[in-house]
Amino acid sequence: MFRFFKRKSAPESASPEVQVETAPEQEATLVQPAVATAQEPQVQSVPAQDVELIAEEQPTSGWFNRLRTGLRKTGSGISGLFGGSKIDEALYEELESALIVADAGMPATTALLADLRRRVKAARAETPLQVRGLLAEALADLLKPLQKPLDIGQQRPTVLMMVGVNGAGKTTTIGKLTQHLLRADEKVLLAAGDTFRAAAREQLVAWGQRNAVQVIAQDGGDPAAVAFDAVSAGQAREMDVVIVDTAGRLPTQLHLMEELKKVKRVVAKAMEGAPHEILLVIDANNGQNALAQVRAFDDALGLTGLVLTKLDGSAKGGVIAAIARERPVPVYFIGVGEGLDDLQTFDAKAFAQALVGEG
């Protein structure tokens, strides 16, 4: 969900052509602001809905159905355990195995089952179906601390730094997030900070064209320079949000993790207090590896939020319980499909219901 700190009037209907700016190459040890060489581009005005300051608490039924479909393997596996007629140790043992298979991990599974036993006793539950409802409640309570809004507008521009491993869906997430912000009448500037892969730059530029927003880019060179240029341009042009893309990397690639730290430091030089949000994009299919990624990137950068992607196929989804147990970094969004509207705010109760096959 978003929390916005101002409400704007509806924008004009004009849609100027997108301009991609190429930042001048810089020395790796000296980063300077970009010098404008072209006429100041305009920001596209997008027809906006009358958005609420805080997104709705409950997801639409269509979104919940997509989420339930994405978690169908886990949901059907757990739901199938409650077809018996009695509550016994065999049921708890089967639940333990199912949660571990769903990537919840042993610590979170142990805590969940201990909580479930207490709830069953307190509610004097008599049937396995009642246990399923109590399990959904226990899981929702475990995940509830992860359900927090992404604050936009306390600082102008609000600088978001996007990080993650290769293939997690980071650039696509940026495109979808940009669309969400445009609908809320926020002016967005993108920074193509993955300067190592031409394809990554081209992909972000394509998203910029699709959303009609400006993109600061550079062929090769220093990613920190691109980030500095983008934040400086965002301040000069009075943008609302600057989103900085970065190259995908494994947490074990220590020299690349050091580069991310450099990008963070340079962004802070461009604007005091920035980056305001450091978001890790993780693939829901990575299981316990996703938890390892959260640990590594959080230790290196101090994460402020997560985006859980690819919950539209064979994802087990239980790793979110492990994250809540060990590293409760807020989950701002989850991706339930490839469409622009398939990036949705995280709802702990809906996610818990889908994971246990309820609803």
Side-chain angles (χ1 to χ4, degrees):
M1 77 182 56
F2 292 106
R3 178 183 289 130
F4 297 102
F5 286 85
K6 70 174 182 178
R7 190 187 291 271
K8 299 182 180 179
S9 59
E12 301 292 334
S13 59
S15 298
E17 189 172 327
V18 176
Q19 180 167 348
V20 178
E21 298 191 15
T22 301
E25 292 192 12
Q26 307 286 343
E27 295 289 337
T29 57
L30 179 62
V31 180
Q32 299 291 346
V35 178
T37 58
Q39 182 179 0
E40 185 75 10
Q42 294 180 318
V43 179
Q44 183 209 23
S45 295
V46 178
Q49 301 171 349
D50 186 15
V51 296
E52 296 296 328
L53 295 184
I54 298 181
E56 294 182 359
E57 290 295 327
Q58 296 298 330
T60 63
S61 59
W63 169 70
F64 179 75
N65 288 336
R66 292 197 298 275
L67 175 60
R68 185 169 55 184
T69 299
L71 295 173
R72 61 186 178 275
K73 286 192 174 181
T74 297
S76 60
I78 294 179
S79 179
L81 302 178
F82 299 102
S85 59
K86 60 181 180 178
I87 303 171
D88 54 18
E89 284 302 311
L91 175 60
Y92 288 112
E93 290 176 4
E94 290 175 340
L95 281 174
E96 180 181 61
S97 297
L99 289 169
I100 292 173
V101 169
D103 294 326
M106 183 57 75
T109 296
T110 300
L112 271 173
L113 291 181
D115 186 18
L116 178 61
R117 288 177 183 270
R118 288 192 294 269
R119 291 171 186 262
V120 168
K121 183 177 181 180
R124 297 181 179 180
E126 298 178 350
T127 67
L129 282 179
Q130 290 176 297
V131 175
R132 184 176 69 174
L134 293 171
L135 176 61
E137 292 176 6
L139 183 57
D141 286 347
L142 176 63
L143 301 182
K144 191 67 175 179
L146 306 185
Q147 183 180 317
K148 294 182 179 180
L150 172 62
D151 290 341
I152 298 295
Q154 286 186 311
Q155 301 83 16
R156 297 284 173 178
T158 299
V159 180
L160 312 181
M161 181 175 167
M162 309 294 289
V163 300
V165 303
N166 291 313
K170 180 163 47 61
T171 306
T172 300
T173 296
I174 291 173
K176 295 177 181 180
L177 180 55
T178 299
Q179 181 63 215
H180 277 259
L181 292 165
L182 290 174
R183 289 176 178 174
D185 195 20
E186 300 292 309
K187 295 187 295 183
V188 182
L189 177 67
L190 303 181
D194 185 350
T195 62
F196 297 113
R197 294 190 308 116
R201 175 183 177 275
E202 292 170 0
Q203 185 183 7
L204 192 68
V205 168
W207 274 109
Q209 292 172 340
R210 185 174 181 179
N211 289 316
V213 299
Q214 302 166 38
V215 177
I216 302 295
Q218 181 185 102
D219 291 325
D222 184 12
V226 177
F228 189 98
D229 292 335
V231 175
S232 299
Q235 292 175 289
R237 299 169 193 174
E238 298 184 345
M239 306 301 288
D240 297 315
V241 182
V242 176
I243 304 179
V244 179
D245 190 15
T246 60
R249 65 205 68 209
L250 296 173
T252 53
Q253 296 173 308
L254 299 182
H255 63 295
L256 295 180
M257 294 299 285
E258 287 300 318
E259 182 185 77
L260 277 183
K261 295 178 185 179
K262 176 185 175 183
V263 173
K264 180 183 177 182
R265 292 194 302 269
V266 170
V267 167
K269 291 179 181 178
M271 179 181 181
E272 184 178 358
H276 306 106
E277 298 282 350
I278 302 177
L279 307 185
L280 174 64
V281 180
I282 52 179
D283 184 339
N285 294 284
N286 283 343
Q288 287 293 300
N289 284 335
L291 176 58
Q293 292 168 23
V294 174
R295 290 193 201 105
F297 281 94
D298 191 32
D299 289 343
L301 300 169
L303 298 174
T304 62
L306 305 176
V307 181
L308 192 64
T309 65
K310 304 184 181 181
L311 285 165
D312 55 348
S314 59
K316 296 177 181 178
V319 69
I320 199 169
I323 292 171
R325 173 72 175 172
E326 183 174 332
R327 290 290 177 106
V329 180
V331 178
Y332 289 142
F333 303 99
I334 59 174
V336 296
E338 294 298 322
L340 285 174
D341 294 325
D342 290 333
L343 184 70
Q344 296 288 337
T345 53
F346 174 68
D347 184 293
K349 181 178 179 181
F351 195 95
Q353 289 176 335
L355 198 64
V356 304
E358 188 181 56

